[in-house]
Amino acid sequence: MAMADFKSVFPEFEGEDKLIAAAKHISRELSSNKGLTDEARRILINLGTQLSSISLTDETKSEKVCEIKMIENQLDSVEEKVRIWETDQSMIWDSGMDEFDEYLDAAEEARKLTLRLESLSLNQDEGGDEKNELQRKSYDILQTTMDRLEEEFKYILVQSSQPFEPEHMSFRSSEEDTLDESSMNSFGDDSVEESLQRDSLSRISDELIVDLVNPDVIPELRSIVNLMFNSKYDRECIQAYTNVRKDALDECLFILEMEKLSIEDVIRAEWGSLNSKIRRWIRAMKIFVRVYLASEKLLCDQIFGELGSISSVCFVELSKTSMLQLLNFAEAMSIGPQKPEKLIRIIDMYEVLADLIPEIEAFYVEESGSSITMECHEVLSRLGDCVKVTFVEFKNAIASNHSANPISGGGIHPLTRYVMNYLRTLTDYSETLNFLFKNIDEEGDQFTILSPESSPTFREEEKRIRLSPLAQNLMSVSEVLEGNLESRSKLYKDVSLQHFFLMNNIYYMTQKVKGSELRPIFGDGWIRHHNWKFQHHEMDYQRASWGPILSLLKDEGIQNPGSNSVSKIVLKERFRSFYLAFEEIYRTQSAWIIPDAELREDLRISTSLRVIQAYRTFEGRHSTHISDKYIKYNANDLENYLLDLFEGSPKILHCPSRR
């Protein structure tokens, strides 16, 4: 082909391009010649393919150069938008949604341009140096936008946070209690439910999950999260979120009045202060787990839910410190001194934590949260051990609670009131205590309970009944209490007052069991046996107090020697001695006290039946043998005087009536 013809065929080619085009044309023309051998045709076809490749490479090179130029222009535009906000100290969020969305678009554009540059593969002669320079620029712009979005993200979270107000929720809390004798007096029958009242809180429904952040900003927060994660700034995003929300959780614990206390702080605290802290902890645990943590978990899911397990990871990271702070307080309580006054509180803590653990486990299902759930179970176990040890200390405190002085009037000892009210309160925790006191033998031990038929009076076979672990332990406490009362009774020099004191206290114990939730635990056999016990002490009191005075109203020894006639001198002495003895009993036993009105009336009646009947019979039988002037009191007088006994106010007979 002549050069002129070539130019006419390829007018658009110049230089090297013209030569390649001509070679390709010649190759095609030759390969179409039918006279060529197959080998020659194959060579020409390969040549044409190689020439086409050379041409395509040059075309691609031209396209890449154009793309780099286009990316450069786009990067300049993004940089200009970003630079405007870098010179402005205000927050983009405060400028309105249009400005905020525009910045998000710029950041997204920077991310996409960076990815495009990363995907380009150019050597040096194809514009590789220019591409590398642009890539460094895109990285810088992307870094700038991510730093700004991180600050905006934290700012929106803080500014859009909504106040948490637990004071609008209603929770019951217990009053203080203690085992020292000065405070035992305050634990009467009517106040025990108030003074040892258990905390109660039904499970909180989903309706009480609160919005910790204004719901209107969730879409924007989620947009920032997705952009930062897509830009491989996920670690910075998570750190920013957890830092802000950790502060919010700290604020929540502050509102709930939970101090950061070391184990040493808890151990050194006075009981009054510690008791208040425990009540606050119980309330805080319920609110924190069931309301606040549930709400925090929802917030994490709303913002990070599209990213799979990231939501759980964030939740664990931001809540771990606060949860451990609450658990550390419980652990400190479990290892501190096992004082009896702590028992109810420790059981409360155990029950609250046991009740909340399933919910806590649901929050921390990921492996990263396993340390928290494990700590919960360990603290629960320590609290359970503390309950058992403290219960033993409670029994020991009863056994060792002695005094050198007897209680005035032989009434109900404050220790008796306190212990029985305490045992009644423990019945509210029956399920928990049965679980904690359960023996290794699942069938439980057999305890021998004395019934009236097996008492020394009746001597029949003892009845063996199977008791729950709680019954075994509560009854063992009552036995320790009875032993303590036996020791205290010996402080009275008057034998009749010893029996009077034991009658009062055992009757009180029996009535407490009979009229409360203790009855099904102790059983009717225990009640019958203790009815017999206090009646036995009542009879012993009657014999010790009134036996000697009633012996003066017997006919033995009042006859003249060698005759059946009554000796008036002896009879006068009998009446005089009877009156003196009655007046002495009146003086002393009007100061004695029976707090229970029914028992007081019963004892007066039984005393009156014995004494007045004996006096009336003796007086009537010998009225003809003695002058009226020696009859100081008639039967009605004595009967009325008996009504003054056991009131706790000593009286003296001044003006006896005379016939």
Side-chain angles (χ1 to χ4, degrees):
M1 179 185 295
M3 184 61 67
D5 294 334
F6 181 80
K7 288 182 178 180
S8 64
V9 176
F10 304 107
E12 70 276 22
F13 292 108
E14 295 292 340
E16 182 179 333
D17 291 342
K18 184 186 293 183
L19 180 60
I20 293 172
K24 288 170 63 179
H25 179 74
I26 293 170
S27 173
R28 283 197 301 272
E29 290 295 328
L30 289 175
S31 62
S32 63
N33 191 328
K34 296 181 179 179
L36 293 175
T37 63
D38 291 340
E39 179 65 20
R41 184 177 287 106
R42 184 180 59 78
I43 293 172
L44 289 172
I45 290 172
N46 288 338
L47 176 61
T49 301
Q50 292 177 9
L51 291 172
S52 295
S53 175
I54 293 173
S55 177
L56 181 62
T57 300
D58 288 343
E59 292 172 7
T60 303
K61 175 182 175 182
S62 177
E63 291 173 1
K64 289 181 178 180
V65 170
C66 291
E67 185 173 4
I68 288 175
K69 188 63 178 176
M70 182 177 63
I71 291 173
E72 182 178 10
N73 292 335
Q74 292 173 331
L75 265 181
D76 289 342
S77 175
V78 171
E79 184 180 26
E80 184 177 352
K81 294 176 183 178
V82 171
R83 190 183 301 116
I84 292 173
W85 280 106
E86 286 308 300
T87 58
D88 193 334
Q89 297 300 314
S90 63
M91 302 302 293
I92 304 173
W93 178 255
D94 291 336
S95 299
M97 287 304 302
D98 290 341
E99 291 283 350
F100 185 77
D101 288 341
E102 185 178 341
Y103 193 87
L104 280 179
D105 291 341
E108 174 64 13
E109 185 68 16
R111 184 188 73 81
K112 290 179 177 178
L113 291 174
T114 301
L115 288 177
R116 284 175 64 186
L117 285 168
E118 289 175 348
S119 66
L120 286 177
S121 179
L122 297 177
N123 55 38
Q124 190 170 0
D125 62 344
E126 292 174 328
D129 291 341
E130 185 178 0
K131 177 250 184 179
N132 292 338
E133 184 63 30
L134 279 178
Q135 197 163 358
R136 283 191 291 272
K137 182 177 181 180
S138 72
Y139 287 151
D140 290 342
I141 295 173
L142 185 62
Q143 176 73 52
T144 300
T145 60
M146 291 298 107
D147 290 345
R148 169 54 76 114
L149 286 179
E150 182 181 339
E151 293 303 314
E152 295 286 333
F153 184 57
K154 292 189 289 187
Y155 181 75
I156 297 170
L157 280 172
V158 172
Q159 292 299 312
S160 303
S161 293
Q162 301 194 144
F164 184 66
E165 301 174 331
E167 64 271 14
H168 293 160
M169 303 172 188
S170 178
F171 295 90
R172 292 162 53 195
S173 60
S174 308
E175 301 299 326
E176 297 180 7
D177 51 77
T178 179
L179 190 57
D180 59 86
E181 289 210 18
S182 62
S183 64
M184 286 176 195
N185 293 306
S186 65
F187 288 92
D189 297 358
D190 297 331
S191 66
V192 70
E193 275 82 14
E194 297 174 2
S195 59
L196 294 176
Q197 189 180 60
R198 293 180 59 205
D199 294 290
S200 70
L201 174 67
S202 58
R203 289 193 175 277
I204 295 177
S205 67
D206 290 341
E207 295 176 358
L208 285 182
I209 293 179
V210 296
D211 291 316
L212 301 177
V213 169
N214 188 332
D216 295 339
V217 306
I218 298 297
E220 283 68 37
L221 292 171
R222 193 159 49 226
S223 296
I224 295 175
V225 167
N226 290 335
L227 181 52
M228 293 186 72
F229 269 71
N230 289 336
S231 302
K232 299 179 182 178
Y233 281 79
D234 48 319
R235 187 173 300 175
E236 291 81 355
C237 181
I238 292 173
Q239 190 64 48
Y241 182 80
T242 54
N243 285 345
V244 171
R245 296 313 304 168
K246 273 183 180 179
D247 291 343
L249 262 70
D250 287 343
E251 178 67 18
C252 172
L253 292 183
F254 177 78
I255 292 171
L256 294 173
E257 301 180 88
M258 286 308 301
E259 308 169 58
K260 290 184 177 179
L261 300 172
S262 66
I263 292 177
E264 291 74 18
D265 292 333
V266 174
I267 292 175
R268 287 197 301 265
E270 295 292 331
W271 171 241
S273 171
L274 194 57
N275 191 22
S276 298
K277 288 178 171 59
I278 294 172
R279 287 187 282 117
R280 286 199 296 269
W281 181 90
I282 290 171
R283 179 174 182 268
M285 278 295 291
K286 295 172 181 177
I287 297 176
F288 189 76
V289 173
R290 289 182 172 162
V291 181
Y292 199 89
L293 278 191
S295 303
E296 195 69 64
K297 186 67 169 68
L298 176 63
L299 179 61
C300 278
D301 291 342
Q302 289 174 330
I303 296 176
F304 295 96
E306 297 176 359
L307 301 171
S309 63
I310 296 298
S311 173
S312 296
V313 172
C314 285
F315 176 77
V316 171
E317 182 62 27
L318 66 91
S319 63
K320 182 187 299 183
T321 302
S322 297
M323 273 302 301
L324 291 179
Q325 178 183 337
L326 290 167
L327 292 174
N328 285 345
F329 177 80
E331 181 178 10
M333 286 301 305
S334 71
I335 65 178
Q338 281 81 27
K339 296 181 179 179
E341 61 265 26
K342 291 169 54 177
L343 180 58
I344 295 295
R345 289 286 176 252
I346 299 298
I347 302 174
D348 281 333
M349 295 179 75
Y350 179 92
E351 287 196 341
V352 166
L353 185 55
D355 195 35
L356 292 175
I357 277 181
E359 296 166 61
I360 295 171
E361 288 179 330
F363 290 143
Y364 299 102
V365 293
E366 297 292 330
E367 184 179 352
S368 56
S370 61
S371 61
I372 297 176
T373 57
M374 187 180 302
E375 183 68 15
C376 283
H377 283 284
E378 289 178 357
V379 170
L380 183 68
S381 177
R382 294 190 192 104
L383 286 172
D385 291 340
C386 183
V387 168
K388 290 180 279 189
V389 173
T390 306
F391 187 85
V392 173
E393 289 302 314
F394 175 55
K395 282 204 299 184
N396 292 340
I398 297 169
S400 60
N401 192 301
H402 294 299
S403 172
N405 301 312
I407 182 173
S408 176
I412 300 169
H413 198 278
L415 181 65
T416 307
R417 292 184 183 275
Y418 182 85
V419 171
M420 295 309 297
N421 287 330
Y422 209 96
L423 294 185
R424 185 174 68 174
T425 301
L426 289 178
T427 63
D428 293 339
Y429 303 87
S430 295
E431 184 177 348
T432 297
L433 291 174
N434 268 321
F435 173 76
L436 292 175
F437 293 154
K438 184 171 61 176
N439 295 322
I440 297 176
D441 178 8
E442 291 296 329
E443 295 299 320
D445 290 341
Q446 286 186 327
F447 270 48
T448 299
I449 305 301
L450 291 174
S451 66
E453 293 79 7
S454 63
S455 67
T457 306
F458 297 97
R459 300 291 183 188
E460 291 189 3
E461 279 192 7
E462 297 175 347
K463 295 182 177 179
R464 299 179 67 82
I465 59 175
R466 197 173 300 279
L467 300 174
S468 69
L470 176 62
Q472 296 173 22
N473 282 277
L474 295 193
M475 291 171 74
S476 70
V477 171
S478 73
E479 291 173 5
V480 172
L481 174 59
E482 287 183 56
N484 182 286
L485 294 173
E486 286 282 353
S487 297
R488 288 180 182 276
S489 70
K490 300 301 188 292
L491 297 173
Y492 297 106
K493 296 179 180 179
D494 188 336
V495 175
S496 61
L497 185 53
Q498 293 177 8
H499 292 293
F500 185 86
F501 170 77
L502 289 172
M503 174 198 69
N504 256 328
N505 284 268
I506 293 176
Y507 179 83
Y508 178 84
M509 293 173 64
T510 306
Q511 293 303 108
K512 272 296 175 184
V513 171
K514 186 177 179 180
S516 73
E517 299 82 357
L518 288 168
R519 181 166 192 160
I521 295 174
F522 278 61
D524 289 343
W526 187 95
I527 293 173
R528 287 193 298 271
H529 176 56
H530 283 74
N531 276 335
W532 173 85
K533 268 192 171 183
F534 89 76
Q535 289 167 1
H536 182 73
H537 285 296
E538 179 183 351
M539 289 186 292
D540 286 344
Y541 152 78
Q542 294 276 13
R543 281 193 291 266
S545 280
W546 298 101
I549 193 173
L550 290 176
S551 67
L552 296 172
L553 301 178
K554 293 180 180 180
D555 289 342
E556 290 84 353
I558 64 171
Q559 291 86 7
N560 288 312
S563 171
N564 290 329
S565 62
V566 174
S567 171
K568 293 183 179 181
I569 296 174
V570 174
L571 189 59
K572 291 176 186 178
E573 183 61 25
R574 286 287 186 92
F575 273 101
R576 190 182 73 82
S577 297
F578 175 83
Y579 294 140
L580 288 174
F582 185 91
E583 289 169 357
E584 178 61 21
I585 289 177
Y586 180 88
R587 183 185 66 79
T588 58
Q589 295 195 20
S590 60
W592 295 4
I593 185 168
I594 300 179
D596 186 88
E598 184 177 351
L599 178 62
R600 184 169 60 246
E601 185 64 21
D602 287 346
L603 189 57
R604 284 171 177 170
I605 291 173
S606 63
T607 301
S608 180
L609 288 174
R610 297 184 65 189
V611 176
I612 303 305
Q613 182 62 37
Y615 178 78
R616 183 177 282 117
T617 300
F618 186 79
E619 180 194 21
R621 189 162 54 242
H622 300 292
S623 60
T624 60
H625 303 120
I626 190 170
S627 171
D628 287 347
K629 67 179 181 180
Y630 296 109
I631 305 300
K632 192 173 185 180
Y633 306 105
N634 62 37
N636 290 334
D637 292 332
L638 296 178
E639 191 169 14
N640 288 330
Y641 293 144
L642 288 177
L643 297 178
D644 292 333
L645 301 185
F646 320 133
E647 292 285 352
S649 177
K651 294 179 173 64
I652 299 176
L653 293 176
H654 291 294
C655 302
S657 63
R658 292 182 180 273
R659 288 184 177 180

